């Protein structure tokens, strides 16, 4: 995806335009394994400048955005419902066309810690508590202590 940014302030608009071009070209069918190509060093730099923004948005979506107390994301709901911890967010982890379309290349690791899995599952079933490790929580705003 060529972002075509002249300055860093153009990055969000350029990213949205690039994503829109991707959708308009309907490239997600049979070529889902084709990788996104960054045409220039500036494209890579622009994408790297978005890292803190996208990681914060992803962490917020995965941890805080819920429906009836459960995560909106179906994969997150499955894993935390089975006692997994949200372990780490990964940037530029899946640059296939499908990965780019689904999550702008971001992925999350879930960890099943055998010593706490049953407790995590019980806490989730009781009050929808999600165990979040530092690799995800560091992207969330600091909550004031009460």
């Amino acid at each position: 995806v060529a972002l075509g940014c002249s300055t860093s302030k153009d990055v969000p608009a350029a990213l949205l335009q690039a994503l829109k071009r991707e959708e308009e070209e309907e490239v997600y069918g049979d070529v889902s394994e084709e990788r996104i190509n960054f045409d220039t060093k500036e494209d890579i730099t622009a994408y790297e400048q978005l890292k803190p923004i996208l990681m914060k948005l992803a962490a917020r979506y995965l941890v805080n955005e819920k429906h009836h107390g459960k995560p909106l994301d179906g994969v997150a709901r499955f894993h935390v419902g089975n006692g997994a911890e949200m372990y780490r967010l990964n940037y530029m982890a899946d640059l296939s066309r499908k990965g780019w379309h689904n999550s702008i290349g971001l992925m999350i690791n879930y960890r099943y810690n055998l010593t706490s899995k049953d407790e995590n599952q019980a806490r989730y079933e009781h009050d929808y508590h999600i165990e979040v490790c530092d690799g995800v929580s560091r992207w969330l705003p600091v909550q004031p202590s009460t």
Side-chain angles (χ1 to χ4, degrees):
V1 174
L3 295 181
C5 302
S6 57
T7 65
S8 61
K9 69 179 181 182
D10 296 333
V11 170
L15 178 63
L16 292 174
Q17 289 172 352
L19 290 173
K20 186 173 183 187
R21 279 195 311 271
E22 294 283 327
E23 286 182 337
E24 289 171 355
E25 293 171 6
E26 297 180 349
V27 295
Y28 306 114
D30 295 334
V31 295
S32 64
E33 294 309 311
E34 185 179 331
R35 294 180 59 79
I36 298 297
N37 292 318
F38 293 98
D39 296 332
T40 66
K41 187 175 181 180
E42 288 80 21
D43 291 342
I44 295 170
T45 301
Y47 188 61
E48 280 299 319
Q49 289 174 341
L50 289 172
K51 181 177 181 176
I53 297 165
L54 295 175
M55 296 291 274
K56 288 174 185 177
L57 288 171
R60 177 182 172 189
Y61 169 72
L62 290 165
V63 176
N64 296 333
E65 298 302 319
K66 300 178 180 177
H67 179 70
H68 298 295
K70 297 178 181 180
L72 287 178
D73 184 76
V75 175
R77 201 168 41 248
F78 171 81
H79 286 291
V80 299
N82 285 303
E85 305 166 331
M86 289 188 176
Y87 184 65
R88 179 179 49 224
L89 279 175
N90 303 291
Y91 197 67
M92 293 182 76
D94 183 359
L95 298 180
S96 69
R97 295 233 181 246
K98 183 178 180 184
W100 186 257
H101 180 259
N102 289 343
S103 63
I104 312 177
L106 281 80
M107 294 183 77
I108 184 169
N109 294 112
Y110 295 92
R111 179 173 68 177
Y112 287 86
N113 185 336
L114 297 180
T115 60
S116 60
K117 182 184 101 44
D118 292 336
E119 181 183 337
N120 292 346
Q121 186 175 18
R123 288 180 70 194
Y124 179 77
E125 288 174 0
H126 183 261
D127 63 3
Y128 299 118
H129 172 80
I130 297 172
E131 194 62 37
V132 181
C133 297
D134 185 54
V136 176
S137 65
R138 69 188 183 120
W139 297 105
L140 296 169
V142 176
Q143 299 294 323
S145 56
T146 54

